[in-house]
Structures are given as C-alpha cells and as structure tokens.
C-alpha cells in the first residue's frame, strides 16, 4: 500500500476512534441538557436521542423554575464560596511549601520523601475519616458551615498544589533567582517577584484542577452540610420527592453545576495549556 494512503487511512481511523470516545464522554452531558429542556411528561416518552425541535419542543420552564428557587441560588453560591475559598487556602499554603521543597535543603530530611508524604494523603479514603471530621466539626460548632467545608476541601486538595508546583519550580531556571539574590533580593522576594510570575501558567492549571476537585466534592458536604451550607452537588442529589426522582430538575441542576468550571476553563485556557506542558520539553 502506498505510504500516503496508509497515512490517510490511519488518520481516518484515529479520527473515528477519537470521535467515538468523545461522543461516549459527551453523551451524559448532552442527555442532561436535553432532559432539562423537556416537559416533565416527556422525560421517558421522547423517542430516539431526544433532539430538540425534532423529537420534542424545547422549553425553558425547568430552568426558570430552578433558577428562581432560593435553594438553588443558595446552593450555587455555597459551591462558589466553598470551592473558591478552598482553592485560595490551598494555594496560600501549598505554594510556599512547594517552593521550599524545590529550592531548600533540610537537615536529616529528604525533600522527595516529604513530597511523597504530601501525595500519600490522597491515598487515604475520604470515607474513612468522615465520622472523625463530623465529630470534630460538631465539637467546634462548625456543622452546616462553609468554614468547615472550606477547611476540609483545602486539606484534601493541598497535596496537588505541593506536588505539581514543586515540580514546576524545579523546572524553572534557578539562575534568575540567584541573580536576584546577588542584587540584594531576599528569598521571599525571589519567590514573589521571580518564581511566581514565571510559574503563572502552571499556577493557573493547578488552580483550575483543585477548584474542580473542590467543586465536585460530595461526601463531606453530604455529611457536614445542612440547609445553610449545602453545595450544588448535594442539592443536585436532592431532586427526590414522594413521586420519585425528578429527573428534569436534576438535569437542570447538573447543567448549572457544569457552567462555572467550564467558563473558568475557557477563560484560563491559554494558561492551562502552557501550564500542563511546562517542563515537558527541555532545551
């Protein structure tokens, strides 16, 4: 077979496989959007894939109903505050720790082992510590509070900041920081003025990753949050009444929960791509 034809066939096959895999992952999102635009009576009666204007007449009644509900508005606000607060706390604690592990030497301590220790915290099953955290929050009077969920989410996403940003700082040329120190800059000045601006793409990518983790957290929110601090993930699972699961409302809530991370990813797309490839190629 001619090499050009072989390359063309390989390209077509790879494109077909990529399209098929993408369709599999995108289908739940499409089904949620389609269900959210249907009349509740058409939830299980629409034939085919549920294509708007083909299989049913779309309506925004479900969206208007949910967006005008105080519980949905509060849940969305809680998720934004909890995920955003946890991201800021994890960044504030994790960036200095990552920079220290990348640049400084500690007596009788191996920085690699310390990094592995941070990463090992992600191995701990969250369900194993739900009850202890619940008892601690109750003792401190923090049940059904955003502060408790911010602290818990920050603790569980902190290892990502330390591990990712440590490698990022290690890949940055240390000569620039040394030159700044020769000019009289202190270590904290070299960190804020030299290292952080250079690591901005990786910082944006890391921030989006940990924001998504905090945004999607369900277990601790289910155990610790009540009506006041309930995030959108718990609110989404609460579309159940005496008639059963209200799939049309659940679909709307699922779409609402997708909007902030997607918008944030689109805004930070340029930095994300640069951050994920930073250090991948060395000259």
């Amino acid at each position: 077979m001619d090499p050009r034809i072989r390359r063309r066939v390989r390209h077509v096959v790879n494109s077909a496989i990529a399209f098929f895999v993408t369709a599999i992952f995108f289908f739940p999102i499409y089904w949620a959007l389609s269900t959210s635009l249907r009349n509740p009576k058409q939830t299980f009666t629409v034939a085919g894939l549920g294509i708007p204007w083909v299989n049913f007449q779309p309506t925004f009644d479900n969206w208007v109903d949910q967006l005008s509900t105080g519980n949905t508005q509060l849940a969305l606000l809680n998720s934004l505050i909890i995920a955003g607060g946890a991201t800021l706390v994890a960044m504030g604690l994790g960036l200095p720790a990552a920079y220290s592990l990348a640049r400084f030497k500690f007596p009788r301590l191996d920085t690699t082992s310390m990094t592995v220790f941070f990463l090992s915290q992600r191995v701990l099953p969250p369900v194993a510590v739900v009850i202890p955290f619940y008892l601690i929050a109750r003792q401190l009077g923090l049940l059904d509070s955003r502060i408790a969920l911010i602290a818990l989410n920050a603790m569980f996403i902190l290892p990502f900041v330390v591990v990712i940003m440590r490698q990022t700082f290690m890949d940055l040329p240390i000569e620039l920081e040394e030159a700044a120190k020769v000019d009289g800059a202190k270590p904290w000045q070299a960190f804020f003025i030299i290292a952080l601006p250079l690591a901005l793409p990786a910082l944006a990518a890391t921030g989006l990753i940990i924001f998504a983790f905090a945004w999607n957290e369900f277990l601790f929110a289910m155990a610790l949050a009540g009506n006041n601090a309930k995030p959108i993930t718990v609110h989404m699972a609460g579309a159940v009444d005496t008639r059963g699961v209200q799939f049309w409302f659940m679909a709307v809530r699922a779409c609402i929960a997708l909007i902030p991370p997607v918008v944030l990813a689109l805004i930070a797309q340029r930095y994300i791509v640069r951050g994920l490839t930073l250090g991948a190629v060395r000259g």
Side-chain angles (χ1 to χ4, degrees), residues 64-260:
V64 173
D65 190 331
Q66 284 298 291
L67 291 175
S68 60
T69 302
N71 289 337
T72 300
Q73 297 172 0
L74 179 60
L76 185 58
L77 177 63
N78 286 337
S79 286
L80 289 172
I81 294 176
I82 292 169
T87 300
L88 291 177
V89 172
M91 283 291 191
L93 297 176
L95 288 176
Y99 183 76
S100 300
L101 292 174
R103 289 290 186 255
F104 303 142
K105 301 296 182 181
F106 300 92
R108 297 187 296 275
L109 288 177
D110 181 18
T111 55
T112 302
S113 299
M114 294 177 65
T115 305
V116 173
F117 169 76
F118 277 102
L119 186 60
S120 67
Q121 307 308 305
R122 291 299 308 175
V123 181
L124 178 68
V127 70
V129 293
V130 169
I131 294 179
F133 282 140
Y134 176 87
L135 296 176
I136 293 173
R138 186 182 67 176
Q139 190 69 23
L140 297 176
L142 294 177
L143 286 179
D144 195 18
S145 70
R146 296 167 179 167
I147 296 177
L149 294 177
I150 289 175
L152 286 175
N153 280 284
M155 181 186 69
F156 276 93
I157 62 179
L158 180 61
F160 288 108
V161 182
V162 175
V163 173
I164 297 175
M165 294 307 300
R166 172 183 177 269
Q167 187 60 45
T168 299
F169 289 133
M170 290 181 65
D171 291 337
L172 295 178
I174 195 174
E175 291 78 12
L176 296 176
E177 299 170 38
E178 292 176 343
K181 293 177 181 178
V182 170
D183 292 335
K186 295 180 173 57
W188 64 269
Q189 291 175 319
F191 170 63
F192 282 106
I193 299 176
I194 305 297
L196 276 186
L198 291 175
L200 186 60
L203 187 62
T206 304
L208 181 61
I209 292 172
I210 63 176
F211 180 87
F213 269 100
W215 179 269
N216 293 327
E217 204 285 318
F218 174 79
L219 180 62
F220 291 111
M222 186 69 178
L224 302 181
N227 293 327
N228 296 325
K230 181 190 300 182
I232 193 68
T233 51
V234 178
H235 183 62
M236 188 193 314
V240 182
D241 61 8
T242 55
R243 296 176 296 175
V245 180
Q246 298 174 313
F247 288 99
W248 49 96
F249 286 158
M250 184 176 292
V252 174
R253 295 173 186 179
C255 293
I256 292 174
L258 285 173
I259 293 174

Side-chain angles (χ1 to χ4, degrees), residues 29 80 201 203-213 215-216 257-276:
I29 300 175
L80 289 172
L203 187 62
T206 304
L208 181 61
I209 292 172
I210 63 176
F211 180 87
F213 269 100
W215 179 269
N216 293 327
L258 285 173
I259 293 174
V262 171
V263 171
L264 186 61
L266 292 176
I267 294 175
Q269 182 178 7
R270 180 181 62 178
Y271 295 104
I272 294 170
V273 174
R274 290 176 57 193
L276 293 177

